[in-house]
Amino acid sequence: MAETVYPVPADWAEHALIDEARYREMYRRSVEDTDGFWREEARRIDWIKPFTAVKQTSFHEADFGISWFADGTLNLSANCLDRHLAQRGDAVAILWEPDDPRNPERRITYRELHEQVCKFANLLKAHGVKRGERVTIYLPMVPEAAVAMLACARIGAIHSIVFAGFSPDALAGRITDCDSRIVLTADEGLRGGRKVPLKANVDEALKQCTSVDTVIVLRHTGADVPMAQGRDIDWATGVAGQAAACEPEEMNAEDPLFILYTSGSTGKPKGVLHTTGGYSVWVSMTHEYVFDYRPGQIYWCAADIGWVTGHSYVVYGPLMNGATTVMFEGVPNFPDPSRFWQVVDKFGVEIFYGAPTALRALMREGDEWVKKTSRKSLRLLGSVGEPINPEAWAWYHDVVGEGRCPIVDTWWQTETGGAMITPLPGATALKPGAASKPMFGVKPMLLDNDGSILEGATDGCLVIADSWPGQMRTVWGDHDRFFQTYFSTFKGYYFTGDGCRRDEDGYYWITGRIDDVINVSGHRMGTAEIESALVAHAKVAEAAVVGMPHAIKGQGIYAFVTCNAEVEPDDSLRKELVQWVRQEIGPIATPDVIQFAPGLPKTRSGKIMRRILRKIGENDFSNLGDTSTLADPSVVDHLIANRPRTG
Ligand code: WTA
């Protein structure tokens, strides 16, 4: 089938910040005169002390290290706030839309945001929070979450945001790993009309965490939550007496900015660490070029601040660029599937950036929900988090964008800080489903399993050959794990964990994870994490988790479970295990299928053959490969014969 190519619309080619010729020239310069390119791009940041060194990086074991702009100093909160005050102080920085449309929105100007951040920073300082200290943030999508992030950046504390959908156990693990003494939370969150007991979750988590002595609690729903004497502080009361000015701390470019935990193929989630200078340059630059952003435009990234997309493209990128950034507390289908587009109309959103999983869910509800809204303000659409299938792309383009708005399908990762492979709306002809072309300074390469470089149109393992400013710097507390995870598979390269195809036009098409990570509704899950949650249950002897195709979520969670000898597996145990995993990790890890298995396919040395389980999960028994090396090949027949029917 011939693929459709959408040329750059004429008005975009003419008016965009970057057209095709400019993209080519800038890209060439970024890889040929790397220091010169970044020296210029870094001017977008207000440095306190200018840097002299630009790029000092090596992916090789002997001299491994990544540092950018190392001798420069800056403060990111000042770059997001203070420098806009003179010109844009009264412009709206955050436009907040509540979960329930009957409640009022909030409009916070740069001046107001600056004041709130200063006061909150002073409150943190009053409670002894020091430069370099970790602050755990477990807040819903409310402006105070951005205030908390910026306040940490202002005083040089390292924030670690834990998605408010994670369970007390998951929260406790993250608090302990980064040895956080202070937690910021709210009484309750609200999503789709349902309350999320955040404070109760924190109380539960803190039974396991001895490090925490201070909890600051935001009154959001007004629910009556118990406050622990001497530990819990009311947010508003605490802020009330604070001074409205707080001098930003002078940070070194390589000082840590935040930790964000993310799932990998092995072990517990790792604390991805980003630093200040390179991240700022990278995120500000990509936000401006990818979205063709000009100050004053209304921009909406629908991600949660609990994920990296929320860090880079709800808060830091847009605010550095003086944007009006929309922050949405709710969900796409509450009160009805028109919600996104009603918010677009209400605020006159020009740029909308969302995840394919939401689009697929809305697409299924029918076009009427979209068509009853105007959406005439929309100019540009973005996609992130997982591959977008051509059907969803076409619907987004034709129905939501009425054929008028380019779609930027941005491929990147928590580890990369910002967009790495993406179309630019004024420069790139679009191919539905292709992340397309590398961002400035990014050198993607495809390797085969043995590490040989593949040229031309081909399929392979996606690696990045050289460093870029927004790259993560380490795994919190485990620098060796950082090297082993990303730089040891293919020597001298950053390994992404993704498979990828490059076509004859040099477009990159991400085909999905090739490690034991699955992508459920755009959320990254380590299969190992779900397995260890399952085996923590008293009745479970062994578990293996794989991804399965899922029409809405992209991938679903398929768990093979072997019970202890005396246990009679039945439907009620199945329900119990589903509930158990939700409790251990959170609702996003809810297994879609649990298949009880008397045995798992193992090699004679006892290694589970995941390749076979993946095929069974995919309901594809045609190509199971060689099963003769299995200790007991008959387990495979048993698994196939007893595979539950799935949709
Ligand atoms: C996947 C989210 C295809 C990919 C920003 C990557 C994508 C993982 C895309 C990172 C895209 C992200 N097309 N796949 N446009 N964007 N992915 O860390 O597998 O939550 O490795 O970062 O999501 O997920 P993470």
Side-chain angles (χ1 to χ4, degrees):
M1 205 175 78
E3 67 193 7
T4 324
V5 180
Y6 296 78
V8 176
D11 55 329
W12 276 91
E14 200 176 322
H15 300 296
L17 290 167
I18 296 176
D19 63 11
E20 197 194 343
R22 182 121 196 272
Y23 167 76
R24 260 192 254 172
E25 170 51 24
M26 286 176 75
Y27 183 77
R28 190 193 56 73
R29 172 127 195 265
S30 74
V31 294
E32 287 175 8
D33 172 19
T34 306
D35 274 25
F37 178 88
W38 289 113
R39 203 178 286 285
E40 271 166 39
E41 277 300 332
R43 288 201 192 124
R44 57 179 55 254
I45 294 300
D46 283 354
W47 298 86
I48 300 173
K49 179 167 135 302
F51 56 87
T52 57
V54 180
K55 176 175 183 284
Q56 294 160 308
T57 69
S58 163
F59 289 174
H60 293 277
E61 192 157 18
D63 58 348
F64 181 66
I66 300 164
S67 107
W68 285 84
F69 315 114
D71 57 350
T73 66
L74 72 159
N75 183 282
L76 178 48
S77 124
N79 273 280
C80 289
L81 301 169
D82 307 47
R83 68 158 161 177
H84 301 310
L85 294 183
Q87 294 220 328
R88 318 185 38 77
D90 297 320
V92 175
I94 296 178
L95 201 45
W96 180 73
E97 175 67 13
D99 183 58
D100 187 332
R102 289 167 305 185
N103 290 333
E105 76 270 10
R106 287 166 65 185
R107 295 167 191 267
I108 302 172
T109 65
Y110 274 94
R111 201 178 313 287
E112 290 162 344
L113 187 60
H114 176 263
E115 182 178 326
Q116 290 184 24
V117 168
C118 285
K119 286 187 170 175
F120 195 71
N122 285 330
L123 176 64
L124 291 176
K125 283 209 261 188
H127 285 278
V129 177
K130 300 264 173 337
R131 187 178 168 129
E133 179 172 340
R134 279 76 54 211
V135 174
T136 297
I137 300 179
Y138 186 65
L139 280 169
M141 279 293 281
V142 290
E144 285 78 4
V147 169
M149 294 165 76
L150 291 160
C152 288
R154 195 161 192 92
I155 63 174
I158 306 169
H159 59 71
S160 165
I161 303 189
V162 179
F163 174 57
F166 276 125
S167 69
D169 268 2
L171 172 62
R174 287 156 171 80
I175 291 173
T176 304
D177 185 81
C178 70
D179 193 23
S180 184
R181 190 179 60 75
I182 182 161
V183 178
L184 316 179
T185 192
D187 47 10
E188 293 177 320
L190 270 179
R191 277 174 66 80
R194 274 194 300 229
K195 293 181 169 154
V196 188
L198 298 179
K199 174 61 163 62
N201 286 353
V202 169
D203 289 339
E204 187 62 30
L206 294 194
K207 290 181 186 160
Q208 305 173 37
C209 305
T210 46
S211 58
V212 176
D213 61 30
T214 305
V215 179
I216 303 183
V217 185
L218 178 74
R219 302 283 170 185
H220 180 45
T221 62
D224 188 19
V225 293
M227 297 288 277
Q229 269 285 322
R231 187 195 72 184
D232 298 352
I233 296 155
D234 179 79
W235 188 298
T237 316
V239 158
Q242 302 299 331
C246 171
E247 197 54 34
E249 191 81 8
E250 180 172 354
M251 305 305 290
N252 294 314
E254 286 299 340
D255 279 339
L257 175 67
F258 67 81
I259 300 169
L260 181 57
Y261 285 87
T262 191
S263 299
S265 48
T266 54
K268 57 185 172 84
K270 34 182 187 295
V272 167
L273 184 100
H274 282 285
T275 56
T276 309
Y279 176 83
S280 299
V281 173
W282 182 247
V283 168
S284 161
M285 182 192 83
T286 51
H287 176 262
E288 181 183 359
Y289 294 158
V290 172
F291 300 108
D292 195 60
Y293 191 80
R294 323 292 167 90
Q297 292 176 343
I298 314 283
Y299 159 93
W300 179 15
C301 167
D304 192 283
I305 46 123
W307 312 113
V308 73
T309 311
H311 285 61
S312 299
Y313 297 119
V314 176
V315 179
Y316 288 126
L319 294 182
M320 273 188 277
N321 293 340
T324 296
T325 183
V326 175
M327 209 173 167
F328 178 45
E329 184 185 23
V331 296
N333 57 2
F334 174 81
D336 65 49
S338 243
R339 185 75 161 117
F340 267 0
W341 324 121
Q342 274 161 5
V343 175
V344 165
D345 284 353
K346 176 173 175 183
F347 294 140
V349 170
E350 289 157 81
I351 304 163
F352 176 82
Y353 188 31
T357 191
L359 299 172
R360 286 191 296 264
L362 294 179
M363 184 168 96
R364 200 172 62 164
E365 302 290 340
D367 298 358
E368 295 320 304
W369 296 106
V370 186
K371 289 189 170 150
K372 65 193 247 191
T373 62
S374 149
R375 286 156 291 112
K376 68 174 189 306
S377 57
L378 284 176
R379 299 187 319 117
L380 179 61
L381 301 170
S383 174
V384 61
E386 48 179 325
I388 181 165
N389 48 309
E391 298 73 30
W393 197 99
W395 185 78
Y396 201 21
H397 186 263
D398 299 343
V399 180
V400 175
E402 293 175 330
R404 163 183 91 240
C405 308
I407 297 177
V408 288
D409 176 2
T410 61
W411 172 83
W412 56 295
Q413 309 178 298
T414 306
E415 293 87 340
T416 72
M420 298 285 281
I421 302 182
T422 174
L424 298 185
T428 319
L430 303 174
K431 299 187 185 188
S436 308
K437 297 281 186 158
M439 182 34 71
F440 305 129
V442 174
K443 290 187 194 166
M445 288 175 75
L446 302 184
L447 306 184
D448 69 13
N449 288 332
D450 302 323
S452 304
I453 297 171
L454 302 168
E455 306 282 357
T458 183
D459 255 309
C461 306
L462 178 64
V463 300
I464 311 293
D466 201 355
S467 184
W468 63 98
Q471 182 168 28
M472 75 181 280
R473 299 297 197 263
T474 193
V475 170
W476 178 260
D478 198 346
H479 198 55
D480 185 53
R481 187 171 175 202
F482 177 50
F483 181 82
Q484 294 306 330
T485 307
Y486 301 102
F487 305 94
S488 69
T489 317
F490 301 110
K491 294 206 168 18
Y493 298 97
Y494 167 80
F495 178 41
T496 63
D498 279 311
C500 184
R501 174 167 78 84
R502 184 173 48 220
D503 69 17
E504 27 321 299
D505 300 321
Y507 276 53
Y508 289 85
W509 302 68
I510 309 299
T511 50
R513 302 290 302 200
I514 46 183
D515 53 9
D516 289 318
V517 170
I518 53 181
N519 196 324
V520 182
S521 302
H523 302 318
R524 242 167 101 164
M525 302 288 325
T527 51
E529 254 173 278
I530 308 171
E531 287 162 8
S532 68
L534 283 165
V535 296
H537 190 280
K539 292 181 180 163
V540 174
E542 196 168 31
V545 170
V546 296
M548 60 182 268
H550 189 289
I552 305 286
K553 302 188 204 175
Q555 279 189 300
I557 298 173
Y558 195 116
F560 297 88
V561 172
T562 307
C563 295
N564 287 325
E566 71 285 1
V567 175
E568 200 53 64
D570 57 10
D571 257 353
S572 91
L573 178 59
R574 189 173 276 126
K575 288 201 187 96
E576 191 178 320
L577 291 178
V578 167
Q579 204 44 44
W580 174 261
V581 175
R582 290 171 63 94
Q583 227 170 63
E584 291 277 301
I585 303 174
I588 56 170
T590 308
D592 295 279
V593 178
I594 291 187
Q595 175 169 6
F596 290 116
L600 296 174
K602 289 184 187 168
T603 60
R604 285 185 200 103
S605 60
K607 204 168 159 336
I608 296 176
M609 300 261 288
R610 293 175 167 279
R611 175 176 56 78
I612 293 175
L613 294 178
R614 276 190 213 112
K615 286 282 176 194
I616 296 174
E618 285 164 17
N619 215 354
D620 169 12
F621 314 126
S622 59
N623 185 17
L624 289 178
D626 184 11
T627 56
S628 65
T629 58
L630 289 174
D632 176 7
S634 75
V635 294
V636 176
D637 302 327
H638 184 277
L639 289 178
I640 292 175
N642 291 286
R643 187 190 188 282
R645 286 169 62 118
T646 49

